[in-house]
Structure formats: C-alpha cells, structure tokens
Amino acid sequence: MEQSRIAHSIGIALDRFIKNNQEQFQYASGELSQLLRDIALASKVVNREVNKAGLIDIMGALGSQNSAGDQQQKLDVLANIRFTRALSKGGEVCALISEETESFVDLNNEGKYVIAIDPLDGSSNIDVNVSIGTIFSVYRRKSPEGTPIKDIDILQKGSEQVAAGYILYGSSTMLVYTTGHGVNGFTYEPSLGEYFLSYPDLKMPEDGKIFSVNEGPYNSFSTGMKNYISYCKEKNFTARYIGSLVADFHRNMLKGGIYIYPATNKDPTGKLRLMYECNSLAFIAEQAGGSATNGKNRILDIEPRTLHQRTPFYVGSKRMVEKAESFE
Ligand code: AHM
Ligand code: MG
C-alpha cells in the first residue's frame, strides 16, 4: 500500500519510480530496470542535441538515405548512435532493430532483451522546430542466451512486448512508458537533468473529438476511410495533425482522439512501420484504455514477417477506433 502510494506520487524521480516498481516485472532481475535507465540517459543526450539543433551546424540533410529510402537527417543518425551506444554498453540488450539500419544489430552479448527503436521519428519536422520523438519496444529473447540470434527473437508479435515507450521532444520533453501495468508519463527538468513523474497512471478518454489524418492523399483513400472523414466533419470534430506520430499520439491520448495513417496509393500497406512505430504505441494505447488496429485487426496480433514491415494504423480512444473501423 505504502509502496504503491510512493510509486504514484507526482514528482517522484524516474530512477526511484523504476526501482520502486521493479517487482512488477515478470522477470524482476533488475536488467529491464537498467535498460529503461539506459534509454532515459540516451534520451537526455538526444534531447540536448535536439535543443541545440538551431545553434550548431547539425541540422539539414546528411545526403544519405536509410533502409526505407527516406532522406536521413543528421539528428536521426546522431540519435541512432546515442541509443545504440547506450544500449550496447549496458549488456542487457542482445539485438537492436532500428529504423535507421537495414538489418538488426547483433550486440554479441548474453543480454536477455531485444529492442526495436525509431531513434528520431517525425524527421520532416526536425528542420522546422516542430516536436519530434523516439519510440521503443522491448522484447525478451526467445532462444537460449549465448546462442546466435534467431528470427524468433527478432520477429516477435507486439503482444510479446515486455515494455514500450516514447520520448516526446516538445514544448517540454517527456518520457512515457509501460511495462504492462498501466502507463506513466515523466517530464524532464533540464536544470536538474532528471525526469519526474507528471502523469501517473495515464488513461486515454474512452471517446474523443479530435481526428488526426494527413488528408493530402484523400483521393486514394478507401471509400470507408473517405466516409469516416465525412462523418468526423459532419460531427464538427477537430482536425489536428502535426505529422509527428509521437506528438499526434500524445495529444490524442491526453485529450481523446484518433490518429489514422491509412493505406494510400503511394503506400498501399500504410506508411508506418509495425516493429518500431506502431507496436509500441499500440501497447501504450491499450494500457491506457485505448485501442490500436490496422482498420480490421488488432495491431499487437500481427505476425511480423520483415523488420521494416508497414501497416495501416488506427490508434486512439477506443470508441473512435471502433467507429472508424465500422466504416471499413
Ligand atoms: P519518419 O519515420 O520518416 O519520420 O516518418 C514517420 C512520420 C510520422 O511521425 C508521421 O505521423 C508520419 O510520418 C507523417 O507522414 P506524412 O508526412 O505522410 O503525413
Ligand atoms: Mg519513423
């Protein structure tokens, strides 16, 4: 009782919160706690670099492309380096799946965990000073430690996640995560260099009035999707779309809303990546009482076949996701 009171006190530092809640983990050996601390530490370094973006010459395109053919920005590359370094040093992670690398990175250690990460999502917003984010998923490896990494370790369904979270580099920096026991949000205090609990046991409103869709490719949406957008407009819902998944998701989680990236002519299977964009947010949404589907099926039940697989994504308040699906 006392423990849970402390664990949910607003203002508790992230490190202490992780420690106090460690016994909730199914395998409470302290490694997952360390891993979360490693992610938090790397995010502070990335946060510093994001905040310096306009001051030193780290903005702008690097000129290379990532595995999906997108233009890589320098900060994407830097963030990937920071997170990879932090996660490989700790020894808890044996393999890393990243938006920025073609195949998974084998960290050649006895670590029990596999991480899927988008080190800096919303890259088109980096140069224009708009919120961006980091998204991560944590899985337990399935094959015995000390043996080579196998597909069963890497291509796990979202429902197998043991933890997931995101960092939002916004008007303030926030780290939001779940280990399957609800969702908690922490705000970064830059002068102290520490995250503090600001949103204990976050719950997404069951219904909402915000819809977040890029309507640019409207002509190539399915009839169902077009009809759902008409429905939102008839209902006088509010349209809000930043083009940064973490920011759009975070707003809808706090205020009640739906984010949709449907199939389009350009991206017939959707634009967003299952393994390091959708699964993590789907886990968080469900833990907060919301839901996430591909328009028909639960995101967390999709069997991944490839690392960079894409999927249509409907995520947000439960009733809104149900309503959107009913149009498909
Ligand atoms: P990225 O991984 O290249 O940054 O792309 C993912 C981003 C999401 O953050 C965002 O929701 C979406 O792409 C925006 O796409 P669009 O510009 O087509 O609306
Ligand atoms: Mg991304």
Side-chain angles (χ1 to χ4, degrees):
M1 190 64 187
E2 178 65 3
Q3 182 80 338
S4 108
R5 195 185 64 75
I6 295 171
H8 289 99
S9 302
I10 287 192
I12 190 171
L14 176 65
D15 272 7
R16 180 167 293 273
F17 181 88
I18 291 173
K19 188 166 171 286
N20 287 352
N21 289 283
Q22 189 170 304
E23 78 280 0
Q24 286 182 341
F25 304 154
Q26 198 186 342
Y27 317 93
S29 62
E31 282 153 301
L32 184 55
S33 298
Q34 188 51 45
L35 193 163
L36 291 169
R37 282 191 209 102
D38 292 343
I39 290 177
L41 179 60
S43 78
K44 292 177 192 175
V45 179
V46 171
N47 179 59
R48 195 186 58 192
E49 277 157 4
V50 165
N51 284 315
K52 280 195 304 194
L55 298 173
I56 56 171
D57 185 28
I58 53 172
M59 289 205 344
L62 189 64
S64 61
Q65 292 195 330
N66 70 6
S67 54
D70 307 324
Q71 184 89 53
Q72 269 186 332
Q73 304 290 317
K74 281 184 185 177
L75 272 173
D76 303 28
V77 180
L78 275 173
N80 193 42
I81 293 168
R82 297 294 178 236
F83 281 104
T84 306
R85 209 176 272 167
L87 291 166
S88 44
K89 270 193 188 144
E92 297 87 19
V93 180
C94 58
L96 204 75
I97 301 155
S98 165
E99 171 160 351
E100 302 301 328
T101 48
E102 182 86 42
S103 41
F104 73 88
V105 181
D106 186 342
L107 296 176
N108 281 317
N109 65 27
E110 307 259 299
K112 292 190 181 72
Y113 294 99
V114 172
I115 301 268
I117 190 164
D118 185 348
L120 212 53
D121 182 69
S123 46
S124 65
N125 283 324
I126 295 175
D127 278 349
V128 290
N129 212 358
V130 171
S131 299
I132 43 183
T134 295
I135 310 172
F136 64 91
S137 291
V138 184
Y139 296 87
R140 248 182 107 80
R141 75 173 289 173
K142 296 205 155 166
S143 63
E145 290 152 42
T147 62
I149 308 285
K150 299 190 178 57
D151 276 358
I152 51 164
D153 302 317
I154 298 299
L155 296 174
Q156 300 195 45
K157 283 193 296 191
S159 57
E160 317 246 28
Q161 289 171 101
V162 294
Y166 60 80
I167 295 113
L168 172 59
Y169 310 97
S171 43
S172 63
T173 296
M174 282 199 69
L175 187 154
V176 176
Y177 81 97
T178 181
T179 54
H181 301 274
V183 180
N184 291 285
F186 298 79
T187 303
Y188 185 59
E189 216 296 6
S191 63
L192 297 172
E194 184 58 272
Y195 285 101
F196 294 99
L197 183 62
S198 48
Y199 289 87
D201 198 19
L202 259 169
K203 291 287 175 232
M204 191 179 269
E206 210 172 306
D207 210 347
K209 292 186 171 161
I210 299 173
F211 67 110
S212 308
V213 188
N214 176 359
E215 286 189 59
Y218 179 87
N219 288 343
S220 70
F221 288 172
S222 68
T223 308
M225 186 62 209
K226 286 178 178 165
N227 289 341
Y228 179 65
I229 289 180
S230 302
Y231 165 84
C232 292
K233 292 179 178 174
E234 278 156 23
K235 289 272 177 190
N236 263 322
F237 285 176
T238 295
R240 286 282 182 277
Y241 188 81
I242 303 174
S244 245
L245 177 59
V246 172
D248 281 312
F249 175 84
H250 186 74
R251 180 202 49 245
N252 292 348
M253 180 159 70
L254 296 187
K255 293 190 178 275
I258 187 169
Y259 172 99
I260 305 179
Y261 208 111
T264 63
N265 277 351
K266 183 166 169 259
D267 294 303
T269 55
K271 177 186 179 190
L272 299 175
R273 270 52 73 98
L274 175 66
M275 297 274 326
Y276 41 78
E277 291 175 333
C278 303
N279 273 339
S280 167
L281 299 187
F283 189 21
I284 292 170
E286 288 195 4
Q287 284 292 316
S291 105
T293 75
N294 63 2
K296 291 188 182 73
N297 304 310
R298 184 179 176 230
I299 288 289
L300 297 182
D301 288 336
I302 299 174
E303 293 271 4
R305 289 177 311 282
T306 59
L307 291 187
H308 301 286
Q309 184 170 328
R310 297 173 193 262
T311 177
F313 195 37
Y314 295 58
V315 65
S317 293
K318 209 178 178 121
R319 299 266 166 273
M320 291 190 87
V321 174
E322 279 167 8
K323 189 74 189 173
E325 277 186 319
S326 73
F327 283 83
E328 283 299 324

